[in-house]
Amino acid sequence: MCLSVTTPLPLLSILALLLVAAAPARAQPVSCQDPAERPIELGAERCGRPAEIRVGENVATVLRFDTPLVRAELTGPGRFRKVMDGELLILVPEEPVDDESRATLTVSFADGAVPTQATLQLIVATPARAERQVELFRRARSAASLQRELRETQRALQGLHAENARLKASQTLPDGLMGLWTSGDMGRTGVAAKENLGIRKHARNSLALRFVLTFRSRSVLMVVSLKNPPGAKPWQATGAALVGPDSAELKVARVWAPAALKPDEERTILVETEPVEGALRGPFTLTLWAEDGKRPIILGNIEFP
C-alpha cells in the first residue's frame, strides 16, 4: 500500500481540493440528505474487534479525533491518498479493489497518554455508501457530540413517525391514479415520464441492464429492468442510493424488489425517493445493492423529467 502526505497547503485548501476531485464537475442545488457524522468511542469495541468505517473509491472520508495524531499507517489492499493535520485525518481510496475488502488503519496519538494507538478497519464499499465524516473519541464523549447524536436519532424517529402516518392514511385512499390525486402526490401536471437511453454502466456490474424509466410527480420513481446472467447466483436488491453531480444524496424512501432474480431471469426493480422540491438537473448515479452491500449495480447518467 502506498501513502502520501502533503503539508505545504493549508488544511482547508487541501480538503477542498480533495472534495472537488472526488465529485463530478457539474454542480447544482438539489433536495438532499445531510451526511451524518457518526461517533465512535475508541476502546469500546465489542469482543476487542476494531471499529469499522466504510470508504469508497475517490470519496474523501474525514476522520475527526479528539486528540492530535502523530502518525497514521495503513496495511492491506488498495492505495490511499492521505492528509493528516492535528486532529484531522482525510483518506481517499485511489484505486479499485473488490467490494468489502478490508484495510487496517493504525493511528498513534501525539500526547503519549495511554492508549498510545488505536486500530480501525476500513471496509471498501460503493462510493454512494462511503462515510463522509466520522468522529472518533479516545476519551469520554463531549456533551456536544451526544447532543448531535440525539438530534440524529430524533430526526430518524420523526421520519419513522411520518412514514407510519402515511401508511395509515394510505389504507383509507383508493388505488391507481385516483389514489395519487387524493394523496396529493400528483398535481395538475400529472406524472412526467422519461426514457433513459444513455445510461453508463459500471464495468463490474454483475447483472445486465435492459432499460431505465424515470417518473416524477412530488417524488421521483425509477423503474430499472435487470437480467441475471445464466449460471449466476440469485440477486435481490435490498437497498439503493441516488447521488447527484454535487455528491449530495437524494433520500430514498423505498426499494421494491419482491423476489430474487434467478439465473437467466429478467425483472424490474422500483426505487422511489422522498418528495423533492425544485428542478433536478442531472446527471445522477443510482447504486443498487443486495444483502450486506454485495454485488452492487452502479448506473450513471440518469436524468429525470
Side-chain angles (χ1 to χ4, degrees), residues 175-187:
D175 294 329
L177 292 176
M178 189 182 296
L180 288 175
W181 176 265
T182 54
S183 68
D185 287 334
M186 181 177 70

Side-chain angles (χ1 to χ4, degrees), residues 77 95-102 123-125 204:
E95 65 181 16
V97 295
D98 293 336
D99 295 320
E100 300 301 314
S101 295
R102 292 171 178 261
I123 303 177
V124 177
R204 288 189 289 164

Side-chain angles (χ1 to χ4, degrees), residues 116-196:
T116 59
Q117 293 183 331
T119 300
L120 302 161
Q121 286 283 307
L122 304 181
I123 303 177
V124 177
T126 58
R129 300 186 67 208
E131 298 182 80
R132 266 60 173 185
Q133 297 182 70
V134 180
E135 274 190 313
L136 299 107
F137 293 89
R138 180 182 176 215
R139 297 185 292 267
R141 289 171 56 185
S142 65
S145 171
L146 293 171
Q147 289 172 353
R148 274 198 298 273
E149 185 174 8
L150 178 60
R151 287 194 296 268
E152 291 291 334
T153 303
Q154 289 174 336
R155 277 197 289 267
L157 286 175
Q158 288 172 357
L160 291 173
H161 288 317
E163 176 69 8
N164 187 43
R166 187 195 66 78
L167 291 173
K168 287 183 178 179
S170 66
Q171 294 176 356
T172 63
L173 297 176
D175 294 329
L177 292 176
M178 189 182 296
L180 288 175
W181 176 265
T182 54
S183 68
D185 287 334
M186 181 177 70
R188 294 178 179 273
T189 56
V191 177
K194 182 179 180 64
E195 183 176 6
N196 285 248

